[in-house]
Amino acid sequence: MDQAAREWRRAVAEIRRLTGTYVNRALDTSRLEDIASAVSADPATVDRTLQGTVDPPLTVAARLARRAGAALVAVPAGHEATPAVPGAAGPIEPAVGDVAALQATMRRLRSETGLSLPAYALACGLPLAHTAVETDPANATLGGVCAFAANLGFGLRIVAGSDVEEALAAARSATSPAPPAGPLDRDDADADVDWIRRAMEEAMDHTRLDAVALARRVHMPEAVSRDPTSCRLLGPFKTTASLAAGLGFRLTAVDRSERDPALIALGTSLSSPGAPPGLSQSGARYAARLQEKDVLEAVRRRRADGGRGIADLADACGASERSVQEVERGLMPIHVQRIARHAQALGLALVLRAA
């Protein structure tokens, strides 16, 4: 179990102790139902949360803490807080402010590293979904926030309501540690394609689709590699676009200045995944054709607007004129890496978006 998992389970165990819903491991059903009603969640979700069997939404954890007469806060590592004691149930309204304060602290500390949000996630080895603590805390999970905070030298704690101001003061006075030493984000076609791969792998984890199930979903058994546990996520446009559609995403091309906002939006989508769409064989083909049409139109429009000749573009891509012309005729058989380089030469970035 990693540190983030230990930390969110420790926070949940503390909430469980304070709520008194389990006595000698026996569930007090009436108390559980009362708590679930108070925090606007169904009893089964609250039960699983308090047992530590699911990583709960941040907002649910914050409301449960307030209902238990305590608060969920982010504090610098090493900060000592007095443990909360069981007492009267508290109102849940202050949980909104607790989440907002946590969001502001994480955003400030991350920005002090000098890294954009996607670059920070990459350098720390965090899934894009974990960036939701900054962009969409309603869809962030407690475990994701713990992982995000740990890289900034912070931890999440359950403190008595009377100690919240002290915890907030400690958070405000803390400064960000040195930027993480992980891989740095690059602003080039290779990085664009790597983000597409990473996001699709993350989406597969969320949907619990294995390679065979995903390939079957889009009627492309050839997408499964020789290793039956993995997919050829990066390949001809037809393959990558079809697999993306099977996960509820689509390939598109945006101006390079919009690349980071597109990655941030992608992280938000990954933090609140829906059920992957069911696609008929014709539906999968149509989804891939729509993506081809979208990317082709962006590429052709950008070249026309810039007055770029084929020879000039070929030189910028490091490719032959024939190769450049092939891209603009149709994308299906062309590898996404080559398309991404073509897009980069035009000042565009190939990205993944929610369908």
Side-chain angles (χ1 to χ4, degrees):
M1 187 188 302
D2 63 25
Q3 180 60 34
R6 282 192 291 270
E7 189 157 306
W8 76 255
R9 284 191 169 92
R10 180 174 63 184
V12 164
E14 181 67 358
I15 294 171
R16 181 172 64 242
R17 179 183 72 83
L18 294 171
T19 58
T21 46
Y22 297 86
V23 180
N24 296 324
R25 296 189 178 182
L27 172 64
D28 184 334
T29 306
S30 62
R31 184 180 289 269
L32 176 69
E33 290 176 349
D34 177 60
I35 292 171
S37 175
V39 301
S40 303
D42 66 274
T45 297
V46 174
D47 186 23
R48 289 194 299 270
T49 295
L50 293 177
Q51 288 189 58
T53 57
V54 296
D55 180 8
L58 172 65
T59 50
V60 170
R63 291 198 297 266
L64 285 170
R66 282 293 182 174
R67 178 64 179 174
L72 177 67
V73 296
V75 295
H79 176 82
E80 295 296 332
T82 305
V85 296
I92 67 166
E93 288 75 16
V96 175
D98 298 339
V99 170
L102 200 156
Q103 178 187 27
T105 298
M106 295 299 101
R107 181 180 289 144
R108 175 180 67 81
L109 292 170
R110 190 270 311 159
S111 65
E112 287 177 4
T113 67
L115 297 176
S116 69
L117 189 52
Y120 175 78
L122 179 64
C124 295
L126 295 172
L128 268 175
H130 286 2
T131 62
V133 63
E134 281 198 34
T135 61
D136 188 22
N139 282 310
T141 66
L142 186 60
V145 178
C146 285
F148 193 97
N151 284 281
L152 293 166
F154 266 62
L156 267 58
R157 298 289 182 271
I158 304 298
V159 302
S162 58
D163 291 340
V164 170
E165 286 306 317
E166 179 186 340
L168 291 177
R172 283 193 294 267
S173 63
T175 56
S176 176
L184 296 179
D185 191 20
R186 306 181 312 278
D187 187 16
D188 59 26
D190 290 344
D192 297 343
V193 170
D194 196 47
W195 276 118
I196 291 168
R197 176 191 57 77
R198 283 166 52 89
M200 290 175 70
E201 288 174 347
E202 197 174 324
M204 286 178 70
D205 287 341
H206 284 310
T207 57
R208 290 186 168 84
L209 283 174
D210 61 21
V212 174
L214 177 58
R216 187 182 298 124
R217 179 174 288 273
V218 296
H219 312 279
M220 293 190 73
E222 67 274 17
V224 178
S225 69
R226 290 177 182 174
D227 173 3
T229 64
S230 63
C231 263
R232 295 190 182 96
L233 296 175
L234 301 179
F237 185 90
K238 178 182 178 182
T239 300
T240 301
S242 297
L243 293 172
L247 292 167
F249 292 90
R250 62 185 173 89
L251 290 170
T252 188
V254 300
D255 188 86
R256 292 210 72 80
S257 65
E258 298 173 16
R259 174 182 177 263
D260 270 7
L263 289 174
I264 291 169
L266 179 59
T268 301
S269 300
L270 288 165
S271 71
S272 55
L279 295 170
S280 65
Q281 191 163 4
S282 61
R285 283 199 302 266
Y286 180 67
R289 286 196 192 106
L290 281 181
Q291 294 173 71
E292 179 190 40
K293 179 175 181 289
D294 183 44
V295 175
L296 265 181
E297 285 181 353
V299 165
R300 290 167 177 165
R301 184 168 57 249
R302 178 57 65 94
R303 188 169 74 80
D305 290 347
R308 300 283 293 273
I310 292 294
D312 178 38
L313 186 55
D315 186 56
C317 292
S320 67
E321 292 183 24
R322 178 181 176 183
S323 175
V324 168
Q325 289 170 326
E326 285 175 349
V327 170
E328 295 204 10
R329 276 199 294 267
L331 304 180
M332 290 302 189
I334 299 175
H335 198 286
V336 289
Q337 185 81 51
R338 192 168 137 200
I339 297 166
R341 289 182 182 138
H342 189 104
Q344 181 190 355
L346 290 166
L348 298 171
L350 193 64
V351 298
L352 206 61
R353 285 194 191 276

